[in-house]
Amino acid sequence: MIEAVPVEVEKNYLTEKQGVLSWFLTTDHKRIAILYTVAVTALFFLGGFFALMMRLELLSPRNWLVSAETYNKLFTMHGIIMVWFFLIPSIPNTLGNFVMPMALGAKDLAFPKLNLLSWYVFMFAAAVTVYALFRGGVDTGWTFYTPFSTSYSTTYVVAAAVGIFISGFSSILTGLNFIATTHKMRAPGLTWYRLPIFVWSMYATSLILVLATPVLAITLLMVAVERIFQVGIFDPALGGDPVLFQHMFWFYSHPAVYIMVLPAMAVVSEIIPAFARKPLFGYKAVAWSSIAIATLGFLVWGHHMFTAGTSVYSAMVFSFLSYCIAVPSAIKVFNWAATIYKGSISWDTPMLYAIGFVGLFTIGGMTGLFLAALGFDVHVQDTYFVVAHFHYIMVGGTVMAFLGGVHYWWPKISGKMYPEGLARVCAIVVFLGFNLTFFPQFVLGYLGMPRRYAAYPEEFQFLHILSTAGATILGVGYVAPLLYLLWAWKYAKPATSNPWRATGLEWKTPSPPPAHNFESTPVVNTRPYDYEAMKEELDLV
Amino acid sequence: MSDPVALELREQFATPEQQRETASAGMWIFLMTEVLMFGALFSAYTVYRILHPQGFALGSSEMDILLGSINTAILLTTSLMMAFAESNAQEGNERWLAICLIAVMLLGAVFLYVKFSEYIEHYHEHKAPGFWFEDSSPYANNVQLFFVFYFIMTGLHAVHMIIGIGIMAFLLFRTWVGSFSAQYHTPIVIGGLYWHFVDIVWIFLYAIFYLPGLHR
Amino acid sequence: MTAPRLSRRTYVFAYLALLALTLITTLIAYLNLGVWSTVIAIGIATVMASIVAGIMMHALYESLLIRIIVSGGIIWFFFMITLTLGDYISRGWLPVPGK
Ligand SMILES: [Cu+2]
């Protein structure tokens, strides 16, 4: 980091207009990104609260804090809030919204009004879902498996399904907007191979948002219809098939994992070259692997149903395809490693998070291969092994990258720096707390501890206590950045336009950027991440 | 600034051409989400039809082929009217543009009228799914499943038709206030894309619900 | 590229073809051809849909981008239906109950 006098700007997007209405009626992608950030942060801590309650309950082998029924609601509400109201919108709608138009050299997204509409739709969906949770909650698990959700559960299934159904429209609007923007709003000279990987990955994410979300919407609609009218859509007694629900649900929900992790890869692909001072290794391979993940991600959903009674032939095909999708993921990991290799690395906070991401994502991905193996999957199906696996991807992957990205672009967003030393400590706390929380769960699952139980045999207690201790540390690691970033917004020292000496168009405009992003439309004539060729220019900043 | 094209150019775009192409791409992407949404229902319907062939054949034989065919012809006609509307818009012929839009709306309303009279007929014959459903065949449950999909899919299509008529009304209003010209009429094209797509959905619904019941 | 323009004649021809296909598919549906009835009905519906999309919506005359978007939607629909039906059709192939 280098010290420099901040560039004096007349007006930026934060000061351009004043007043509450200027925020709630804004069509500026940067302001909408902040609206989204506030919303998903609040929902993240709500979902985190449910997780903390669960971890506390699991301190003892017997129910001591909440009843089994309440516990069922806790894990359901944790899942629903975290999946649809934090992880899915987290990076695309906050950092993606903020950075993508600038990375393209555009004044805004292609459809700014749709962007604002998507925020309102999201808020309405969140309101409906939170209403369902506080009226009495839902106990089906975030997966809404039939026939329990349609015939037996006595909780607010329809209201929660409607909330998620509505949030789907917000996802679709965002995805549509990003795709159209990437195709049509690029600055002159910004060809596809000159785009940052951030844009490639956001584009791949948007493909999934657009192609998968409608299937979830219609599936939840059918659950609601079946629950209200009891007409047998998924009821075997009336000729329906519960496994068909699983097919349709996972057609969305497996790709949804990539909605969560591709944006994380997008962030990490920006951070690593900037802090290793090297061009991203294997740029084209990394770019196309995003598209490959988005495509292959649609062909593997059956691995969630190996024990659900699908045919063995179908299971074999899905198992094979699940192995295939490890290839593009591994391409990314190897290329990040090759980028770091012999780089001149600076260990600033974003880099700490990015390196943490690579390690944790690798563990999450490798255990995913275990689960794709038919025999092993039967052994650990519905155990904590699965829970640990997807938390390594979603928390160790997406949340780490989200925090890394927030720190990386914080100077651009707020125009202020953040307390670097404290932030580094917090990044390490998050990493340690995370591993202490979730690594014991691999062991628990392998030993046979099933997921979604409030009580368990006493021999598992030690590992559960470790996990709860880790969750407490993790909680501290999440609250601290919220506090110091809020402090930094007002009191930290101003940031220069390019504090990390990074490439990318978003760093060529003042921090915070003016309302229309650029003084004049930028023209691009270099390859991305050209850290070696641009050394002198960047060092002058 | 009296140039209507310049007036309609949003600030994020550099040229009207870019704006038009972006709008068109946006609509097409949206239509693909619709493909996947109806596609999911179509897949589920196919699974159940393979699992329960007799019940679905019985259900299908309850359909009124005459009304279904008339409705298909009506919708195809609205598509022609919509295409003409676009031609008139391109020529700057606002009067005929308005007339075509009105024709689309009226024929769309006729379609909905026929559709809802079919619904009422099914209800009176106790074929609407739910506790009022009655069927004496041994495949009663499967016939009900057929009608579940029939009502969800045609119902969803009808909702799209109603939205489509709303869009046509909006376009008519904008035509009336003089927003469109030979240079700028992108909303007509975009609205038309939506309308034609709803037509395509019906073509498949006609094939999977009405036709299989004709032969015994 | 500028917006595609088609003549009214083209639209009328497309319309007449669509009406004719509706009539043909309805008449064929009266014949009992077993599983082929469904195949033919879906086949003709696909042809009709292609006419609407290709000519009425002028997808045939659109840019590469639009054609990629349209093929994307169709391919993804086939992903869904193929892998789902693959499970249902291959159940019972293995002479083990429940598989
Ligand atoms: Cu999966």
Side-chain angles (χ1 to χ4, degrees):
Chain A
M1 229 186 65
I2 36 173
E3 312 287 325
V5 187
V7 186
E8 206 57 58
V9 198
E10 301 267 294
K11 288 266 185 191
N12 61 48
Y13 80 102
L14 294 167
T15 53
E16 173 91 12
K17 289 185 187 134
Q18 303 284 342
V20 178
L21 274 186
S22 76
W23 281 88
F24 286 111
L25 296 177
T26 183
T27 53
D28 183 343
H29 67 101
K30 301 181 288 301
R31 285 188 167 212
I32 295 171
I34 289 180
L35 290 177
Y36 259 117
T37 310
V38 172
V40 300
T41 305
L43 288 157
F44 172 77
F45 281 102
L46 178 64
F49 167 75
F50 295 136
L52 201 63
M53 293 298 285
M54 270 190 285
R55 282 318 320 166
L56 285 177
E57 162 60 31
L58 290 170
L59 275 174
S60 157
R62 264 165 294 284
N63 297 67
W64 70 279
L65 185 64
V66 294
S67 68
E69 288 74 25
T70 311
Y71 185 82
N72 289 347
K73 290 177 180 172
L74 284 176
F75 70 67
T76 304
M77 300 190 288
H78 169 70
I80 290 176
I81 294 286
M82 286 303 199
V83 169
W84 283 294
F85 296 97
F86 177 71
L87 288 164
I88 298 272
S90 63
I91 298 177
N93 284 324
T94 59
L95 298 171
N97 236 338
F98 194 96
V99 175
M100 212 178 90
M102 281 197 275
L104 294 172
K107 286 182 189 151
D108 207 317
L109 287 169
F111 308 113
K113 284 181 194 154
L114 280 190
N115 198 20
L116 181 65
L117 177 66
S118 101
W119 184 76
Y120 277 103
V121 172
F122 176 77
M123 292 310 286
F124 180 57
V128 171
T129 310
V130 170
Y131 161 83
L133 302 189
F134 283 98
R135 274 306 297 276
V138 190
D139 66 350
T140 58
W142 74 279
T143 48
F144 290 100
Y145 267 20
T146 55
F148 180 73
S149 64
T150 48
S151 301
Y152 302 104
S153 172
T154 53
T155 51
Y156 288 79
V157 176
V158 172
V162 167
I164 297 164
F165 177 87
I166 299 169
S167 84
F169 287 97
S170 151
S171 293
I172 289 173
L173 290 177
T174 303
L176 188 159
N177 216 338
F178 281 9
I179 294 175
T181 305
T182 313
H183 276 287
K184 287 291 172 194
M185 309 294 283
R186 300 195 305 273
L190 195 52
T191 58
W192 281 84
Y193 286 136
R194 287 177 184 168
L195 288 173
I197 294 296
F198 187 82
V199 177
W200 277 89
S201 285
M202 280 300 161
Y203 181 80
T205 310
S206 308
L207 288 181
I208 308 177
L209 282 170
V210 163
L211 291 164
T213 314
V215 178
L216 173 79
I218 207 67
T219 309
L220 290 177
L221 188 76
M222 283 160 83
V223 166
V225 168
E226 168 70 357
R227 193 171 162 83
I228 295 168
F229 296 104
Q230 296 291 316
V231 285
I233 305 178
F234 299 119
D235 184 355
L238 295 173
D241 182 7
V243 178
L244 183 66
F245 168 82
Q246 297 187 21
H247 273 297
M248 295 173 71
F249 179 81
W250 289 112
F251 180 86
Y252 166 82
S253 290
H254 183 82
V257 174
Y258 298 105
I259 299 176
M260 303 170 200
V261 84
L262 273 170
M265 294 165 159
V267 170
V268 168
S269 302
E270 294 305 301
I271 294 175
I272 286 182
F275 292 89
R277 314 304 306 160
K278 275 178 64 188
L280 187 72
F281 189 87
Y283 170 85
K284 286 187 184 176
V286 177
W288 281 103
S289 67
S290 298
I291 308 292
I293 287 175
T295 310
L296 279 171
F298 278 91
L299 304 175
V300 301
W301 79 80
H303 61 220
H304 296 269
M305 305 161 60
F306 288 158
T307 59
T310 55
S311 91
V312 271
Y313 298 99
S314 157
M316 276 152 61
V317 169
F318 278 123
S319 174
F320 171 74
L321 290 167
S322 304
Y323 275 103
C324 291
I325 201 166
V327 175
S329 310
I331 287 175
K332 283 187 186 284
V333 172
F334 287 132
N335 283 309
W336 290 324
T339 307
I340 295 167
Y341 179 67
K342 288 195 174 167
S344 51
I345 296 167
S346 44
W347 297 100
D348 292 297
T349 314
M351 187 62 163
L352 290 177
Y353 279 114
I355 300 276
F357 167 91
V358 176
L360 299 179
F361 172 75
T362 306
I363 297 177
M366 296 293 270
T367 50
L369 287 180
F370 293 18
L371 292 166
L374 286 166
F376 188 79
D377 183 73
V378 173
H379 177 61
V380 295
Q381 168 86 39
D382 269 340
T383 68
Y384 267 76
F385 193 89
V386 178
V387 175
H389 154 69
F390 69 72
H391 280 90
Y392 263 78
I393 300 280
M394 291 171 192
V395 185
T398 307
V399 180
M400 292 285 278
F402 176 69
L403 287 171
V406 166
H407 285 88
Y408 181 60
W409 280 294
W410 184 258
K412 187 56 61 184
I413 295 169
S414 68
K416 300 286 175 63
M417 295 310 291
Y418 56 85
E420 182 63 41
L422 181 58
R424 286 189 203 188
V425 172
C426 282
I428 292 165
V429 167
V430 167
F431 183 81
L432 295 178
F434 173 82
N435 280 294
L436 185 58
T437 311
F438 292 104
F439 201 82
Q441 298 188 2
F442 278 125
V443 184
L444 275 170
Y446 188 75
L447 294 175
M449 168 84 201
R451 65 194 283 202
R452 297 180 169 175
Y453 279 81
Y456 53 84
E458 286 189 3
E459 68 248 41
F460 294 140
Q461 189 175 16
F462 177 68
L463 288 166
H464 270 302
I465 289 176
L466 278 187
S467 184
T468 302
T472 318
I473 297 171
L474 194 56
V476 173
Y478 286 153
V479 173
L482 176 72
L483 299 179
Y484 69 68
L485 286 178
L486 285 176
W487 173 86
W489 184 276
K490 202 152 174 68
Y491 301 107
K493 69 173 194 290
T496 59
S497 65
N498 189 359
W500 313 118
R501 296 179 297 131
T503 62
L505 291 175
E506 75 267 28
W507 301 109
K508 295 213 164 84
T509 188
S511 308
H516 286 302
N517 295 347
F518 300 97
E519 303 296 330
S520 58
T521 307
V523 179
V524 182
N525 45 28
T526 50
R527 64 194 187 113
Y529 309 110
D530 215 352
Y531 281 100
E532 276 145 7
M534 294 168 75
K535 196 166 185 309
E536 284 177 16
E537 184 194 331
L538 290 169
D539 287 346
L540 280 177
V541 176
Chain B
M1 280 304 279
S2 62
D3 180 11
V5 185
L7 265 180
E8 292 293 340
L9 184 63
R10 303 272 181 278
E11 59 192 11
Q12 69 269 29
F13 296 108
T15 63
E17 207 40 42
Q18 184 193 18
Q19 173 167 313
R20 188 195 67 77
E21 286 172 11
T22 312
S24 160
M27 192 64 200
W28 277 102
I29 297 165
F30 173 74
L31 294 182
M32 291 310 110
T33 71
E34 297 271 23
V35 167
L36 267 291
M37 190 186 73
F38 280 103
L41 285 166
F42 188 83
S43 305
Y45 172 86
T46 310
V47 166
Y48 286 146
R49 192 161 149 196
I50 290 174
L51 292 180
H52 312 298
Q54 299 92 341
F56 273 52
L58 281 175
S60 196
S61 64
E62 300 278 342
M63 298 290 119
D64 189 328
I65 184 68
L66 184 65
L67 292 183
S69 307
I70 289 174
N71 256 354
T72 310
I74 289 175
L75 269 198
L76 293 174
T77 313
T78 62
S79 260
L80 182 70
M81 290 299 121
M82 194 66 233
F84 281 174
E86 203 182 306
S87 299
N88 286 316
Q90 282 166 349
E91 290 154 10
N93 194 340
E94 286 172 47
R95 164 186 282 264
W96 277 98
L97 166 59
I99 292 174
C100 287
L101 290 176
I102 293 170
V104 170
M105 288 167 68
L106 286 180
L107 287 170
V110 173
F111 172 93
L112 285 173
Y113 174 77
V114 174
K115 194 70 235 157
F116 280 102
S117 60
E118 279 184 88
Y119 285 158
I120 291 168
E121 187 63 20
H122 294 311
Y123 174 75
H124 286 311
E125 288 169 4
H126 297 280
K127 290 295 178 253
F131 62 84
W132 44 75
F133 179 85
E134 279 172 25
D135 194 280
S136 52
S137 78
Y139 303 109
N141 283 338
N142 303 339
V143 175
Q144 175 169 256
L145 205 50
F146 171 88
F147 273 97
V148 169
F149 278 94
Y150 168 79
F151 272 97
I152 293 182
M153 292 175 82
T154 58
L156 213 52
H157 176 262
V159 169
H160 279 79
M161 289 285 297
I162 294 168
I163 294 171
I165 291 175
I167 293 173
M168 292 305 129
F170 174 69
L171 292 177
L172 184 65
F173 171 75
R174 289 199 61 187
T175 310
W176 183 59
V177 298
S179 301
F180 302 132
S181 62
Q183 291 80 35
Y184 177 76
H185 51 267
T186 310
I188 299 282
V189 183
I190 303 298
L193 286 176
Y194 176 86
W195 188 270
H196 293 305
F197 176 78
V198 177
D199 193 3
I200 290 180
V201 172
W202 177 258
I203 290 172
F204 282 102
L205 296 186
Y206 177 70
I208 64 171
F209 288 120
Y210 288 84
L211 296 182
L214 290 180
H215 55 78
R216 300 291 147 78
Chain C
M1 68 186 273
T2 51
R5 267 180 197 219
L6 277 70
S7 69
R8 286 189 180 74
R9 252 171 83 91
T10 318
Y11 290 135
V12 171
F13 275 129
Y15 173 67
L16 293 177
L18 288 168
L19 284 186
L21 285 167
T22 310
L23 190 65
I24 293 170
T25 192
T26 312
L27 292 178
I28 293 179
Y30 279 100
L31 308 172
N32 193 350
L33 303 172
V35 73
W36 290 104
S37 290
T38 309
V39 174
I40 292 170
I42 297 291
I44 293 180
T46 310
V47 174
M48 290 171 71
S50 312
I51 294 174
V52 176
I55 295 175
M56 299 285 193
M57 300 165 85
H58 29 80
L60 280 175
Y61 308 88
E62 280 286 1
S63 61
L64 179 67
L65 169 62
I66 303 290
R67 278 179 283 160
I68 290 176
I69 293 171
V70 174
S71 359
I74 295 167
I75 292 170
W76 255 255
F77 165 67
F78 275 103
F79 285 168
M80 175 165 54
I81 195 163
T82 313
L83 285 167
T84 306
L85 285 182
D87 170 29
Y88 284 90
I89 291 169
S90 62
R91 285 189 201 174
W93 282 3
L94 202 68
V96 176
K99 296 285 159 191

